[in-house]
Amino acid sequence: MAANIIDRRRINGPQRSVEPLYTHVDAAADPFASGRGDGRALDQVRPIFVKTGPLSAHRSESALSSAAAASGAAFYEQGKIRVSCAVYGPRQGRRSSARMGSFDCDFRYAPFACSWKRRSHVKGADEREISLMLEHAIAPAIRLEAYPKACIDAYVTVIESDGKAATIAAAINCISAALADAGIEMYDSVAACSMGLTGARWVADCAQPEEDAASCSMLIAYMPSADEVTYILQHGKTTPEQTDQAVQTCTNMCARVYAVICRYLQDSLE
């Protein structure tokens, strides 16, 4: 009698389980054997545009007051990806006895940012997760010990997205430019780049169709002057040799992106 009792308060698993099936990747079937759709090389990122400071040339009084409240702002465009960032602080933090400052990030998608899904105005779980990623990637580059009892806040808005990993990398680059515009003391600016493994090749800065076809993706945030990786994120299964190749290629791409951002920052000072 007791053997037939079923505990309905628990989720009963199946009687038997099977090993997960992994898709076999045929190295001979290379979708990029004839090149990429937009003509880029496999290790080439999309064209980059960076602008710091207030984004609008004609602003109302309310817009002027909100722009003046922000310590720094930046607009970052990479292909179809468009990201804006506003930095506030250093300002009084929540803990009055903290010996080091804190860095907080708020990441949001615009409702129309993703072509495959209309985003809600309520902050989703993926946006909260990305916010933590950005904090972990940027915080090591900020001299937080120089801002005791203070906090620095970055508000990132994705206006248009074209590839999730590439959008996160663009957000990191945009925050770095905004922090430089705000005059925040940093050890070095952080540059980020993403890659996707399609077939047997790593492809840099994947657009959304390329990212959907990739079996693995990798994102790296890197400080080129300090030669230090601040954040690394990988989704998918790779061999140690493929991982080492992706890290080397991704850091080289970050150094190129870093040079472009620094050039724009230097031009903004003239």
Side-chain angles (χ1 to χ4, degrees):
M1 186 69 180
N4 296 328
I5 296 177
I6 299 176
D7 189 353
R8 299 185 182 279
R9 292 172 297 180
R10 299 181 180 179
I11 300 176
N12 298 300
Q15 295 293 333
R16 56 185 295 271
S17 60
V18 296
E19 183 181 356
L21 301 178
Y22 294 98
T23 304
H24 176 68
V25 179
D26 187 5
D30 189 357
F32 295 104
S34 58
R36 305 175 72 171
D38 54 3
R40 287 186 291 145
L42 296 181
D43 60 347
Q44 183 180 0
V45 299
R46 285 168 281 190
I48 296 173
F49 172 79
V50 183
K51 184 182 184 302
T52 57
L55 304 180
S56 176
H58 304 283
R59 303 181 299 276
S60 61
E61 293 183 0
S62 60
L64 282 170
S65 60
S66 62
S71 303
F75 174 78
Y76 185 90
E77 184 175 331
Q78 186 169 331
K80 293 182 179 180
I81 299 175
R82 293 171 177 85
V83 182
S84 65
C85 176
V87 172
Y88 296 84
R91 53 190 179 184
Q92 184 177 356
R94 301 174 183 86
R95 296 183 300 172
S96 59
S97 60
R99 295 185 178 181
M100 293 183 61
S102 62
F103 173 73
D104 298 321
C105 181
D106 183 83
F107 177 90
R108 293 291 183 96
Y109 284 103
F112 48 83
C114 304
S115 59
W116 65 92
K117 176 183 178 183
R118 182 169 180 82
R119 310 288 306 196
S120 172
H121 65 281
V122 180
K123 192 173 183 179
D126 58 338
E127 293 172 318
R128 289 191 291 269
E129 181 181 0
I130 295 174
S131 298
L132 291 177
M133 293 181 189
L134 299 178
E135 291 176 7
H136 294 160
I138 297 294
I142 304 175
R143 293 193 61 222
L144 294 176
E145 68 276 5
Y147 303 102
K149 305 179 183 180
C151 68
I152 301 169
D153 300 319
Y155 294 88
V156 182
T157 302
V158 177
I159 302 171
E160 186 174 359
S161 174
D162 189 17
K164 183 175 181 180
T167 301
I168 298 174
I172 294 173
N173 298 330
C174 188
I175 295 173
S176 296
L179 288 172
D181 182 62
I184 303 298
E185 294 188 30
M186 304 175 68
Y187 296 106
D188 192 11
S189 292
V190 181
C193 184
S194 64
M195 301 195 74
L197 181 64
T198 306
R201 300 192 184 189
W202 284 102
V203 182
D205 189 22
C206 293
Q208 189 61 51
E210 297 173 337
E211 189 173 289
D212 293 338
S215 59
C216 177
S217 65
M218 178 176 289
L219 168 70
I220 285 182
Y222 179 64
M223 293 191 295
S225 297
D227 192 19
E228 180 179 346
V229 175
T230 61
Y231 192 80
I232 181 169
L233 176 67
Q234 177 178 335
H235 289 287
K237 185 179 179 181
T238 57
T239 63
E241 293 77 12
Q242 289 175 329
T243 302
D244 182 67
Q245 178 187 1
V247 171
Q248 294 294 333
T249 306
C250 219
T251 51
N252 292 336
M253 294 297 101
C254 290
R256 297 183 189 179
V257 174
Y258 174 84
V260 174
I261 295 176
C262 288
R263 186 183 64 192
Y264 276 104
L265 292 175
Q266 291 172 358
D267 293 341
S268 65
L269 297 176
E270 298 178 356

